[in-house]
């Protein structure tokens, strides 16, 4: 996936090919709805990779322009994300893995960990999937997972951070998915601000759009602490 020129200047490490040379830290990104790759998370990649000697990223592949069916895009992203994570770990077993998703991409990343499926926007039905096996080789190499402004944010989970920690998203998760996600608590941060209408039922739409302008550096600090 080629990085758009408008975003390329935000990213120091531009490698986004699954067949690139192995790096010590490899980031997977799931973009928000209707974003070009890598979307707003380009700033986050820049902050994480800054100062690291060997770091790159890879886009989780899925089709999600505004006219696409939300559920189909999520289902595709989850299937591809799990496959890409397993494939990279098989090829580069020593690499530390970081996974990040924003908005619709956060829904995808949550489903990668906890499994997914259900009824969502405009009544669409997303097929069920199982999450990544917590005991798999790939899961054991995950150092950090970042979920940003998720449609499926669920209140009062141990990995929730920011002022929206006790807020409910548009489609909170059932207990079985939460139990699967809880296995990853030590490597997981679910970011939500209380004024965000998508993840916390807030009333300020711009809040949903500015996470990476405001919080990329603090999130990168946490990722680096996980890597060390």
């Amino acid at each position: 996936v080629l990085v758009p020129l408008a975003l390329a200047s935000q990213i120091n490490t531009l490698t986004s090919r699954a067949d690139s040379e192995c790096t010590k830290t490899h980031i997977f990104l799931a973009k928000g709805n209707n974003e070009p790759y890598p979307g707003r998370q380009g700033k986050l990649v820049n902050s994480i990779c800054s100062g690291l000697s060997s770091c790159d990223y890879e886009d989780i592949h899925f089709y999600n322009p505004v006219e696409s069916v939300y559920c189909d895009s999520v289902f595709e992203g989850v299937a591809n994300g799990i496959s890409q994570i397993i494939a990279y770990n098989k090829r580069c077993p020593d690499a530390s893995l970081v996974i990040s998703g924003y908005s619709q991409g956060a829904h995808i990343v949550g489903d990668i960990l906890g499994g997914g499926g259900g009824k969502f926007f405009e009544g669409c039905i997303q097929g069920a999937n199982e999450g990544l096996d917590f005991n798999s080789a790939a899961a054991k190499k995950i150092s950090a997972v970042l979920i940003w402004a998720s449609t499926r944010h669920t209140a009062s989970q141990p990995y929730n951070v920011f002022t929206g920690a006790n807020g409910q998203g548009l489609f909170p998760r059932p207990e079985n998915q939460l139990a699967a996600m809880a296995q990853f608590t030590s490597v997981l941060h679910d970011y939500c601000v209380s004024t965000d209408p998508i993840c916390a039922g807030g009333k300020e739409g711009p809040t949903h759009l500015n996470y990476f302008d405001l919080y990329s550096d603090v999130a990168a600090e946490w990722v680096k602490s996980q890597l060390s």
Side-chain angles (χ1 to χ4, degrees):
V1 176
L2 296 178
V3 179
L5 292 177
L7 290 163
S9 62
Q10 301 174 5
I11 306 173
N12 287 334
T13 305
L14 295 180
T15 302
S16 61
R17 299 181 301 276
D19 59 352
S20 60
E21 292 184 4
C22 295
T23 55
K24 292 181 179 178
T25 301
H26 188 70
I27 305 166
F28 293 90
L29 296 181
K31 63 192 178 78
N33 184 259
N34 202 41
E35 288 190 314
Y37 295 112
R40 290 175 174 83
Q41 292 174 97
K43 292 181 179 180
L44 177 66
V45 171
N46 191 41
S47 293
I48 293 172
C49 288
S50 178
L52 298 181
S53 61
S54 179
C55 177
D56 67 355
Y57 83 96
E58 174 179 341
D59 294 302
I60 293 174
H61 298 193
F62 61 105
Y63 177 79
N64 73 334
V66 68
E67 67 272 13
S68 62
V69 178
Y70 181 90
C71 293
D72 294 349
S73 298
V74 171
F75 189 81
E76 180 187 16
V78 174
N80 288 343
I82 292 174
S83 295
Q84 289 175 239
I85 291 165
I86 291 172
Y88 190 87
N89 171 256
K90 185 176 181 179
R91 188 167 65 84
C92 304
D94 295 328
S96 294
L97 307 180
V98 177
I99 309 169
S100 182
Y102 163 66
S103 195
Q104 186 178 27
H107 183 157
I108 288 169
V109 171
D111 285 5
I112 287 171
L113 300 187
K119 185 176 182 179
F120 301 108
F121 291 106
E122 298 182 340
C124 72
I125 302 297
Q126 178 193 331
N129 71 277
E130 294 186 359
L132 181 68
D133 181 357
F134 179 72
N135 294 309
S136 66
K140 290 177 180 178
K141 293 303 293 184
I142 295 173
S143 294
V145 182
L146 302 89
I147 293 176
W148 298 89
S150 178
T151 56
R152 305 216 66 186
H153 181 79
T154 305
S156 305
Q157 300 308 302
Y159 42 76
N160 288 356
V161 292
F162 289 174
T163 57
N166 295 324
Q168 289 280 59
L170 298 175
F171 307 107
R173 291 185 179 274
E175 289 299 323
N176 64 314
Q177 293 179 12
L178 294 174
M181 289 181 67
Q183 298 177 100
F184 292 90
T185 295
S186 66
V187 298
L188 175 58
H189 272 184
D190 188 330
Y191 298 94
C192 178
V193 174
S194 61
T195 53
D196 187 330
I198 301 299
C199 64
K203 303 298 183 183
E204 298 179 15
T207 302
H208 187 69
L209 305 176
N210 65 14
Y211 283 87
F212 304 102
D213 295 327
L214 299 176
Y215 307 120
S216 288
D217 288 345
V218 68
E221 288 178 10
W222 174 70
V223 171
K224 289 174 182 176
S225 73
Q226 292 288 103
L227 293 171
S228 63

